[in-house]
Amino acid sequence: MEFCDECGSMMMGEGDVWVCKSCGNEQPKGDSASYTTTAAQEESEVIESGAENSGLPTTSAQCPECGNDRAYWYMQQIRAADESETRFFVCTECEHKWREDDH
């Protein structure tokens, strides 16, 4: 799938070109150079094991497993849209996960 550089609309494939049905812009197909990655780019995308929570904010929360008083947290909608989000916690020490629901 391609999007038009001129107007942003979705382009349709016709033979060897992509054609924008909105503005008529044409781009050649098969220009894969814009989609290739270098080895340096691939290496920079690797996330070290155990570092998956490092980007999350922390808060004061008592871990039910080890008693640690700090945890990473995030919120996620897991029920109907008209229900409140669920707060998830991950202990900064033992990485135990638990959740807290609003009642």
Side-chain angles (χ1 to χ4, degrees):
M1 183 182 316
E2 290 289 322
F3 292 94
C4 180
D5 291 337
E6 300 297 319
C7 69
S9 296
M10 188 169 65
M11 300 180 83
M12 303 298 289
E14 292 183 7
D16 292 341
V17 295
W18 294 103
V19 179
C20 178
K21 296 296 182 184
S22 296
C23 71
N25 181 34
E26 293 185 9
Q27 294 174 211
K29 278 187 178 179
D31 184 18
S32 61
S34 62
Y35 299 111
T36 59
T37 58
T38 65
Q41 289 171 324
E42 288 178 4
E43 286 180 21
S44 69
E45 304 265 331
V46 174
I47 299 173
E48 295 295 323
S49 177
E52 65 270 2
N53 298 321
S54 62
L56 296 175
T58 60
T59 188
S60 177
Q62 188 79 27
C63 175
E65 288 290 312
C66 72
N68 182 37
D69 64 349
R70 297 297 296 172
Y72 300 108
W73 68 275
Y74 61 96
M75 296 181 81
Q76 187 172 1
Q77 187 73 39
I78 60 172
R79 295 173 296 203
D82 63 342
E83 299 287 330
S84 61
E85 293 179 309
T86 301
R87 285 181 297 276
F88 289 89
F89 297 93
V90 181
C91 178
T92 57
E93 291 294 318
C94 70
E95 296 188 6
H96 174 70
K97 297 176 184 174
W98 73 99
R99 71 184 197 182
E100 180 180 286
D101 296 314
D102 283 341
H103 300 288

